[in-house]
Every structure is written in C-alpha cells, then in structure tokens.
Amino acid sequence: ESERRNAFVQYKTRQDAERALNNPDAILGNRFILANWAKFDNLKEEEVKKQSEDLELKKKLLQLQKDKQALLLKLQEKNTAEGGGDKSTSAPLSANAVPFSPRGRGRGR
C-alpha cells in the first residue's frame, strides 16, 4: 500500500487557482492526484487582492525606475557625443533664454 502524502500550492490569484482546480487534464501525468481548496487560509479575499495589487504596483514602479535610468544614460551619452562633458552650463533655463557661451565675451574687450 502506498503512503498518502500532501502538498500545498499557492497561486498568485484566486482566478489562477480556480483555473487549475477546474482543469480536466491530468496533473503531472498522474490521474490519481486529487486537488482541493485548502481549509486553513487565514487571509480574507480583500487582503489577498490588495497584496496582489501592491505587488503589481511595486513591479510597475521598478520598471519605471529602470526606464528612467536607461533614458538618463542615453541622454548623457548623447550629450557626451555632441561635444563632450557637462552641458548644464550652456543649456537654456527656459524656452526664451539665450544659451550662455563663455567664448568671446571676456571682460575688457
């Protein structure tokens, strides 16, 4: 006689768990595996949903931060290729500002 063993699987969303439970295909190629809902879940459905939403927001924030870093790196590379170095002293401060150029404007001329 074989020994009975249990395993618990936690899905990211309730919808994923329902899909797995309602799937008519054999699990792991063995038709003798029985799948049911666990009876000890202490989290309420709202808490699970909020945790899932928080995780998604954190993932989106991380992706936005990575995208920002990539854009800043591209901008830095572009500025370096256009004449090297830091362009912050020659960049206009507003749409109507004239770029500052220290060449040819020395005192005493």
Side-chain angles (χ1 to χ4, degrees):
E1 179 177 323
S2 67
E3 193 176 317
R4 185 176 180 167
R5 297 184 183 182
N6 296 318
F8 293 93
V9 177
Q10 184 175 0
Y11 289 88
K12 184 175 180 180
T13 65
R14 182 178 184 90
Q15 183 181 10
D16 290 341
E18 288 173 350
R19 229 184 341 240
L21 282 173
N22 294 326
N23 189 344
D25 296 335
I27 300 172
L28 301 174
N30 184 345
R31 299 193 187 278
F32 300 105
I33 295 176
L34 179 63
N36 288 308
W37 288 105
K39 297 179 182 178
F40 63 88
D41 192 2
N42 293 330
L43 293 177
K44 295 180 180 169
E45 189 67 30
E46 298 83 30
E47 293 171 345
V48 171
K49 184 177 179 183
K50 181 171 179 358
Q51 285 180 354
S52 179
E53 289 170 354
D54 288 350
L55 181 61
E56 289 300 315
L57 287 174
K58 287 178 183 177
K59 286 180 182 179
K60 287 179 182 179
L61 178 60
L62 181 62
Q63 185 60 49
L64 286 172
Q65 289 171 336
K66 287 180 181 179
D67 293 346
K68 178 183 174 184
Q69 285 297 94
L71 288 173
L72 288 173
L73 182 61
K74 284 182 183 179
L75 181 61
Q76 184 181 18
E77 290 171 353
K78 179 182 175 188
N79 285 342
T80 302
E82 287 179 353
D86 184 13
K87 291 283 202 174
S88 62
T89 58
S90 63
L93 298 176
S94 70
N96 297 325
V98 177
F100 172 75
S101 177
R103 290 181 229 127
R105 293 190 182 184
R107 287 194 278 185
R109 289 189 179 182

